[in-house]
């Protein structure tokens, strides 16, 4: 049985839960719906810590959220048939979602909630708990306030998926809740792609012949389709090989420091992989079996740090590709023995609005005493981490940039001694920011 706690949250300072726009249900010990559970034990003091138990009888891996009066604080995750104990307080309320998304679980079309009113309560996520068949609804009590304050316009994708009813008048959300409509090229006004056939080689060739880049950033061609012409330093480079380049001193110390600080601000968490996509376009996060690192996404306060902004600006200037095509910096932390097994940064074809990840611009933020290399499996090429160095490679083909380059599988080798910190921008074929704003990338952070 898991034990999960609400740390340092006294009932005296917590907001009372506010009812949402859908009916709510609690479940008794027999799994029956209780629609009017106002039983409160008046002998319980407001600061008395209570023990509550939750059993997941449903077929879904389920997330338990404390209802903080906004959009919930994740407390724990329960697998099917798993139980957990929760230390909480009188009057607290919890809601349940399918793991990795904020898609609530319902019983007979009533939202499943747990309301704490007694000592040693036992709650159940019953066998028939499931997502609602009604796609357009407000998931949180704050939806109406967010809508009044302009949220539908500033964050349309997030609001359509999480606050559909409150944004229906402003955005026709009940129609756009369907990702096929919301994410159409017509709705997103998708621009022309940044690369056509031949543009990949043009970019790398321009780097390879640019003496300023060599002097300022220590540009080194590691591999190229014409290794002799471009003085490739990898001894195994042969005619027709893919481009791999490094900028040996790309980042300043202050840029490195701010990227590391940004990860601390955002908070590193165990890295996840992409899972299934539900009916409204949310992509499930699943714990990775092939990567053991921690990561964070550089957003909000992190993106405003001077060193982060200057690093991104430098990448824009070098690549000639605008920032709207970039995913936010992914910040990575590898401790001893951690790794990321062989993978590709794109897929064979990509018909999503943002298109392929065409370039990976990978930045090393620390030296690593031993291990931690970026290893291209099919090439048998290893790049050693070095603080301030940038490693760049394409994920697509020059003759057809709408199709992946299957040679570019790579992995992060185990860190044997020391610690590896890194950051990367994935750069897309098309505008990434607009689809992301409209909830068309699977991410709703």
């Amino acid at each position: 049985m898991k034990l999960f706690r609400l740390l340092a949250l006294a009932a005296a300072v917590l907001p009372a839960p506010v009812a949402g726009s859908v009916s709510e249900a609690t479940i008794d010990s027999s799994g029956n719906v209780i629609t009017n559970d106002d039983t409160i034990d008046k002998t319980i003091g407001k600061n008395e810590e209570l023990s509550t138990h939750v059993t997941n009888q449903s077929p879904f891996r389920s997330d338990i959220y404390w209802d903080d009066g906004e959009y919930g604080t994740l407390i724990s995750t329960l697998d099917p048939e798993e139980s957990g104990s929760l230390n909480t307080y009188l009057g607290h309320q919890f809601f349940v979602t399918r793991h990795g998304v904020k898609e609530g679980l319902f019983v007979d079309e009533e939202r499943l909630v747990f309301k704490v009113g007694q000592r040693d309560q036992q709650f159940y996520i019953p066998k028939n708990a499931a997502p609602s068949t009604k796609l357009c609804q407000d998931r949180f009590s704050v939806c109406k306030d967010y809508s009044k304050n302009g949220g539908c316009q500033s964050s349309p994708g997030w609001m359509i998926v999480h606050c559909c009813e409150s944004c229906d008048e402003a955005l026709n959300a009940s129609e756009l809740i369907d990702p096929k409509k919301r994410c159409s090229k017509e709705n997103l006004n998708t621009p022309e792609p940044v690369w056509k056939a031949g543009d990949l080689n043009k970019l790398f060739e321009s780097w390879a012949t640019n003496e300023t880049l060599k002097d300022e950033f220590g540009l080194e061609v590691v591999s190229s389709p014409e290794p002799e012409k471009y003085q490739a330093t990898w001894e195994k480079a042969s005619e027709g090989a893919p481009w791999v380049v490094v900028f040996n001193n790309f980042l300043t110390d202050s840029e490195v420091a701010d990227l590391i600080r940004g990860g601390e601000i955002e908070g590193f968490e165990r890295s996840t992989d992409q899972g299934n996509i539900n009916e409204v376009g949310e992509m499930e996060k699943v714990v990775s079996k092939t990567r053991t690192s921690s990561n964070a996404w550089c957003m909000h306060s992190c993106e405003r740090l001077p060193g982060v902004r200057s690093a991104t600006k430098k990448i824009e200037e070098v690549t000639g590709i605008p920032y709207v095509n970039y995913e936010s910096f992914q910040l990575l932390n590898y401790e001893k023995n951690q790794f990321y097994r062989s993978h590709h940064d794109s897929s064979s074809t990509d018909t999503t609005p943002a298109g392929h990840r065409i370039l990976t611009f990978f930045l090393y933020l620390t030296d690593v005493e031993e291990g931690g290399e970026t290893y291209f499996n099919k090439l048998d090429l290893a790049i050693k981490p070095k603080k301030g160095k940038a490693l760049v490679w394409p994920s697509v083909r020059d003759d057809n940039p709408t199709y992946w380059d299957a040679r570019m599988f790579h992995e992060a080798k185990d860190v044997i001694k020391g610690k590896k910190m890194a950051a990367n921008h994935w750069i897309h074929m098309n505008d990434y920011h607009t689809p992301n704003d409209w909830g068309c990338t699977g991410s709703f952070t």
Side-chain angles (χ1 to χ4, degrees):
M1 175 181 286
K2 287 184 178 178
L3 173 64
F4 37 100
R5 302 174 62 90
L6 279 176
L7 298 177
L9 298 179
V13 299
L14 294 177
V18 181
S21 65
V22 296
S23 299
E24 297 176 342
T26 56
I27 304 298
D28 66 16
S29 59
S30 301
N32 299 312
V33 175
I34 305 172
T35 54
N36 245 333
D37 185 22
D38 297 324
T39 306
I40 298 290
D41 185 341
K42 296 191 167 122
T43 68
I44 300 173
K46 62 182 179 181
N47 292 321
E48 180 182 341
E49 190 175 275
L50 302 176
S51 180
T52 300
H53 312 283
V54 182
T55 298
N56 183 11
Q57 298 176 335
S58 80
F60 299 99
R61 194 165 193 238
S62 301
D63 291 336
I64 314 296
Y65 284 86
W66 167 56
D67 187 348
D68 58 3
E70 292 189 355
Y71 44 86
T73 299
L74 178 63
I75 302 301
S76 184
T77 299
L78 293 178
D79 290 317
E81 304 304 323
E82 188 176 16
S83 298
S85 290
L86 167 66
N87 290 332
T88 183
Y89 297 93
L90 185 71
H92 281 192
Q93 179 168 297
F94 301 86
F95 62 88
V96 184
T97 72
R98 207 164 56 80
H99 174 64
V101 292
K102 287 285 184 74
E103 183 180 36
L105 293 184
F106 286 66
V107 177
D108 298 333
E109 288 301 318
E110 294 182 328
R111 189 198 310 273
L112 182 60
V113 298
F114 303 140
K115 301 175 182 178
V116 179
Q118 302 172 27
R119 296 180 179 91
D120 296 316
Q121 278 181 287
Q122 174 72 61
F123 294 114
Y124 294 88
I125 305 171
K127 292 180 180 179
N128 60 335
S132 174
T133 58
K134 179 186 176 184
L135 298 183
C136 187
Q137 57 182 253
D138 284 353
R139 293 178 172 180
F140 311 113
S141 56
V142 294
C143 282
K144 287 183 173 57
D145 288 338
Y146 283 177
S147 175
K148 290 176 184 176
N149 292 327
C152 302
Q153 289 74 26
S154 61
S155 302
W158 194 95
M159 291 293 287
I160 288 169
V161 169
H162 294 94
C163 299
C164 183
E165 288 178 292
S166 291
C167 287
D168 201 16
E169 183 176 348
L171 296 175
N172 192 24
S174 57
E175 287 290 321
L176 295 181
I177 192 72
D178 180 353
K180 292 179 182 178
K181 297 178 181 178
R182 185 174 74 249
C183 302
S184 66
K185 288 186 176 182
E186 292 74 23
N187 185 59
L188 299 176
N189 194 25
T190 303
E192 289 296 309
V194 293
W195 275 0
K196 296 181 174 63
D199 287 342
L200 186 162
N201 275 350
K202 286 179 184 177
L203 175 63
F204 280 86
E205 287 168 356
S206 72
W207 289 351
T209 56
N210 189 320
E211 294 301 321
T212 301
L213 291 181
K214 294 177 183 178
D215 294 339
E216 186 175 354
F217 298 129
L219 172 72
E220 173 189 344
V221 176
V222 179
S223 173
S224 85
E226 298 178 87
E228 186 173 341
K229 178 178 179 180
Y230 296 110
Q231 300 177 324
T233 58
W234 179 41
E235 65 277 5
K236 295 182 182 179
S238 58
E239 292 294 316
W243 286 99
V244 178
V245 306
V246 296
F247 297 86
N248 283 295
N249 52 339
F250 189 77
L251 294 176
T252 65
D253 287 345
S254 61
E255 288 167 342
V256 168
D258 272 357
L259 284 164
I260 292 174
R261 183 179 168 217
E264 294 168 349
I265 291 170
E266 297 292 350
F268 287 100
E269 297 179 351
R270 170 68 189 271
S271 299
T272 58
D273 288 335
Q274 297 174 339
N276 295 326
I277 299 177
N278 65 13
E279 289 182 88
V280 299
E282 290 174 292
M283 187 177 291
E284 183 181 1
K285 295 178 181 178
V286 296
V287 175
S288 177
K289 296 180 181 179
T290 59
R291 63 192 301 202
T292 56
S293 60
S294 298
N295 75 334
W297 293 96
C298 184
M299 303 169 69
H300 313 304
S301 297
C302 174
E303 282 189 319
R304 292 192 288 270
L305 294 172
V308 173
R309 297 174 77 170
S310 64
T312 294
K313 184 65 176 174
K314 200 181 291 183
I315 295 171
E316 280 189 280
E317 291 172 349
V318 167
T319 63
I321 300 174
Y323 181 54
V324 293
N325 287 54
Y326 296 26
E327 294 184 41
S328 297
F329 267 125
Q330 179 185 211
L331 306 168
L332 297 158
N333 182 29
Y334 290 84
E335 301 288 348
K336 183 178 178 181
N337 297 325
Q338 292 186 334
F339 56 81
Y340 189 178
R341 297 299 181 231
S342 180
H343 62 284
H344 201 287
D345 285 346
S346 200
S347 53
S348 57
T349 57
D350 192 327
T351 58
T352 62
H356 273 294
R357 290 170 173 171
I358 57 174
L359 274 180
T360 297
F361 217 106
F362 195 90
L363 309 173
Y364 298 103
L365 306 181
T366 58
D367 296 322
V368 181
E369 292 182 62
E370 187 177 357
E373 298 90 352
T374 303
Y375 178 66
F376 294 88
N377 308 81
K378 294 190 175 184
L379 304 179
D380 191 25
L381 168 62
I383 305 296
K384 184 174 176 58
K386 175 180 172 291
K387 178 183 174 182
K389 179 162 75 175
L391 168 64
V392 189
W393 69 90
S395 290
V396 295
R397 297 168 56 101
D398 176 66
D399 62 341
N400 182 7
T402 65
Y403 195 76
W404 73 345
D405 189 333
R407 298 171 294 180
M408 304 314 290
F409 279 86
H410 56 282
E411 67 179 277
K413 302 292 280 186
D414 302 52
V415 173
I416 298 171
K417 189 176 182 181
K419 179 177 181 176
K420 176 183 174 182
M421 300 191 77
N424 70 272
H425 269 318
W426 279 307
I427 303 177
H428 284 258
M429 177 70 86
N430 305 320
D431 170 10
Y432 178 84
H433 290 191
T434 301
N436 196 52
D437 289 342
W438 280 89
C440 302
T441 62
S443 175
F444 290 86
T445 52

